[in-house]
Amino acid sequence: MTRHGERAGSGAICSGFRPECGSFDAVPETMRLDEAAQGAPAGRRSASGVLGDLFPASAPAPRRPLSRRVIGVVAQVAAVALGAVVLLERIPGLPPWDTIYAEDYWKFFPQALQRPWQLFIPYGGYEELLPRVIAQLATYLPLPQVSRWDAVCGAAIAAACGLFVFHASAGHIRSKPLRALLGAAVVLLPVAPMEIADSAVDALWYLMLALFWALLWRPRTRAGMAAAALVAFAATSSEVTMVLFAPLVAARLFALRRPREHAVTAGWVAGLLVQLPVVLLGTSGQSRLAGRPEVGRALALYAHDVVLTSISWHLAERLQSLAGSTMAIVIVAAILAVIIGSILLAQPASRPFVVAAVATGLLFYLFDASLNPRVHYPAFPDYESGSRYTDLPIFLFECVAVVGVDHVLRRRREARGRRGTSRRGTSLRAVAAVSALVAVLGAAWIADFRYPGYRSEASWNWGPIAATWLHDCALSASGEITVHTAAQTWTLPCDRIRP
């Protein structure tokens, strides 16, 4: 049985559904680009072929000697470590390793002390498995070190998601430097310091970025399949809205028929099976899914919180101060429309990806924003309620831009061996596309690299909190202490609190 894009039998190309291919496979990329250049009508292609474009096979990696493979592994570990350090530096003021943020402090860690290894407890009407596991492991550390564990875990998971995106995007992005740029985009996501950076409870929003690419990836190795399945399970068992990836899962099931292609599908389903009993146990009054949708209001917020701030939080603020809120939105929306429209018109092979990326970001934001009334609160220079809901759609805009530029570079490489083609014109377009991409992303990353947000508040300072708990335990006659947090009052056993 041949792989996607390989020749089967006596030179037949795996296109459409063929038993020897085992899946719906699209025409190879070089043929698609040639047809597009010749004006071949995309409407003649079958639905299976269009869906197949969502799941291209990456080029086989050349076999390398053991020494080079070891060096590669070391380099990737170093990249994750560097990414984690960069993320830890993005929070100004009180260092993130001296703080514990939101539910990590007021819910998951106290509950882990009170009810050890009871991980499947509804919160907000669903399960958050990964933050609970991290909190449970934190109970084995000295209490003052818990904040360091929490921040480093959050930063390391985010950086690892960046590395995962580098590998998982290989089918859509052939250029390694561009894939490295996209991996860096995970670590340097402009909106991250506002809320999600360097915490366990919000690591799942980075997993959401990784899961999008995991569902498009066709890993060739067992290690890649295991990584994709692990990302899918960790994401889906920690955030119930990952069910909204169902259209991509359905497309994958339709386009790829071999069982080996569905490790990520199995991980996604397994995560939902973890969610199911917990969701059923949660009462409607506690569930975030029980609200009354306000889709119209959510669409207006999408224009301001996603479209406008896709150029970065601070550049968007500056543009609003110069042009006003409405005109600022119109300007940025027009720029995005030109970029996305150009890719759709000039790159037929990219159309399924572009549509899937933009639609997925819109779907997730509208779902979350329409059910969370706090998202409707006015935004301030140092805080935007529900900013975590903007992470995926903004990141997917960046993904569309990177994929579009990669296709420009592919055309440049093909033009080198094609007679009658203006190599100079093709090279100029490639240089212009890469320069524009680096300039736009670089401006956003620089403007929003480090700034205070909700994550920077002094109320998360763990040192005084830990000192108070240890002091109260030293004076407790009952062996328990009473702790008041924003969520509730906890009675915690001192024998599980390590000095």
Side-chain angles (χ1 to χ4, degrees), residues 100 102-116 132 135-136 139 146 462 465 469 483-485 487-493 496-497:
I100 294 189
E103 286 89 346
D104 291 332
Y105 161 49
W106 69 55
K107 192 72 176 182
F108 298 139
F109 183 62
Q111 202 159 50
L113 289 169
Q114 191 182 70
R115 304 167 67 178
R132 289 192 180 279
Q136 189 62 64
T139 63
V146 169
W462 182 244
I465 296 170
W469 288 17
V483 171
H484 303 280
T485 70
Q488 66 186 76
T489 298
W490 300 91
T491 300
L492 303 179
R496 297 197 186 108
I497 297 175

Side-chain angles (χ1 to χ4, degrees), residues 88-93 193 314 445-452:
L88 290 170
E89 289 295 326
R90 294 192 65 189
I91 306 297
H314 289 90
W445 295 348
I446 292 171
D448 280 6
F449 178 74
R450 198 167 191 260
Y451 62 93

